[in-house]
Amino acid sequence: MEKKYIADLENLTPLIGREIIMDGTTIALFRLTDDSVKAIENRCPHKNGPLAEGTVSGTNVFCPLHDYKISLETGVVAAPDEGCVKTYETVIENGKIYLVTAL
């Protein structure tokens, strides 16, 4: 496992997504109201909507294009819609956010 620095917690506004690019992959970051940070693939499985621009409610994000509801914890699209996006583990240490990746 490897940790890669991606942002400072203080620079993420709660419930507002931010797009980052890590090793050529576009990732959506979300700071939740409990200050946890979730990271998911930044493309809705339906029509590739940019999830970082979606609306966050609880631990879900709603795609800005067609309102698909996607779990920020599992990446699964809520029924009756279907699909899944990749999720990424994050850790916060001393106010710095790291993405945990496989070597």
Side-chain angles (χ1 to χ4, degrees):
M1 302 289 254
E2 180 182 5
K3 294 185 306 186
K4 293 183 178 181
Y5 168 79
I6 51 176
D8 290 330
L9 183 62
E10 68 183 14
N11 292 332
L12 288 182
T13 303
L15 306 181
I16 303 295
R18 175 187 286 178
E19 178 183 287
I20 64 164
I21 297 175
M22 176 70 67
D23 297 331
T25 301
T26 306
I27 297 170
L29 285 181
F30 299 94
R31 177 178 175 181
L32 303 183
T33 55
D34 65 358
D35 284 338
S36 64
V37 174
K38 302 298 181 187
I40 62 173
E41 178 181 4
N42 193 29
R43 291 287 167 217
C44 179
H46 178 231
K47 296 284 185 181
N48 295 320
L51 296 177
E53 297 176 19
T55 301
V56 175
S57 178
T59 57
N60 298 294
V61 63
F62 291 82
C63 177
L65 296 185
H66 298 98
D67 214 29
Y68 270 43
K69 181 180 176 183
I70 300 168
S71 169
L72 293 172
E73 296 185 341
T74 65
V76 175
V77 175
D81 301 313
E82 298 177 346
C84 187
V85 297
K86 185 173 181 173
T87 60
Y88 301 89
E89 181 180 349
T90 60
V91 294
I92 303 169
E93 294 177 352
N94 299 320
K96 303 220 179 277
I97 305 165
Y98 297 88
L99 200 69
V100 179
T101 62
L103 290 176

